[in-house]
Amino acid sequence: MASRLNPYISFSGDARQALEFYRSVLGGELRLSTFGEFGGPGGGTGQDDKIMHGMLETSSGFTLMGADTPPGVDFRPGTNFAVSLSGDDADELKGYWEKLSDGGDVAVPLEKQMWGDVFGMCTDKFGIVWMVNISEQQS
């Protein structure tokens, strides 16, 4: 899979409805995963059915990702987006990570996560939030 760059939007509990709306507008295939499916921060908080990750891919080549803001994380409208870099070329994506995080603030170190991918999140020196996700190469 080639690396991709796309917006990633955080929602305040209505990610499912928002992403279904965007699918109705843009068309395409929508894939949703909940916190409960991955044993994430929704456990025991009534958040199991909230969206941990959603991805809409359209025939026009658009990709939009989004999720509900996890419990304990502040939702701040107007700053509830990030730029996502993802793919399976680990060397390429790690190179981007090193440059983007240099001089910035790392919120989540680039390391293996509960869903099996390597993921990190940082704010670059210009205040832009970046998410880097490296998937396992399919054999």
Side-chain angles (χ1 to χ4, degrees):
M1 157 179 41
S3 296
R4 74 172 81 205
L5 182 142
N6 61 272
Y8 201 110
I9 304 170
S10 296
F11 297 93
S12 182
D14 56 359
R16 180 182 306 275
Q17 296 89 336
L19 291 168
E20 287 174 349
F21 169 73
Y22 299 137
R23 177 181 56 192
S24 76
V25 172
L26 302 169
E29 180 183 344
L30 178 61
R31 292 186 303 278
L32 301 171
S33 300
T34 65
F35 286 110
E37 290 174 53
F38 288 96
T45 65
Q47 302 293 311
D48 286 350
D49 63 339
K50 296 299 180 188
I51 302 303
M52 185 177 112
H53 176 70
M55 182 166 68
L56 174 63
E57 293 181 290
T58 76
S59 59
S60 297
F62 303 149
T63 300
L64 178 65
M65 295 182 189
D68 286 310
T69 303
V73 176
D74 287 335
F75 175 77
R76 297 183 333 217
T79 62
N80 55 319
F81 71 93
V83 181
S84 171
L85 280 167
S86 58
D88 59 14
D89 187 329
D91 291 336
E92 178 184 42
L93 291 162
K94 284 178 183 176
Y96 295 146
W97 170 261
E98 291 301 321
K99 293 173 185 172
L100 289 165
S101 62
D102 184 33
D105 294 312
V106 174
V108 178
L110 188 65
E111 59 191 22
K112 190 151 185 120
Q113 300 296 323
M114 66 182 149
W115 59 89
D117 293 349
V118 172
F119 173 84
M121 186 164 60
C122 68
T123 302
D124 71 19
K125 59 187 170 186
F126 299 102
I128 304 301
V129 178
W130 292 85
M131 301 165 68
V132 175
N133 192 87
I134 305 168
S135 355
E136 295 282 326
Q137 286 193 353
Q138 303 299 316
S139 45

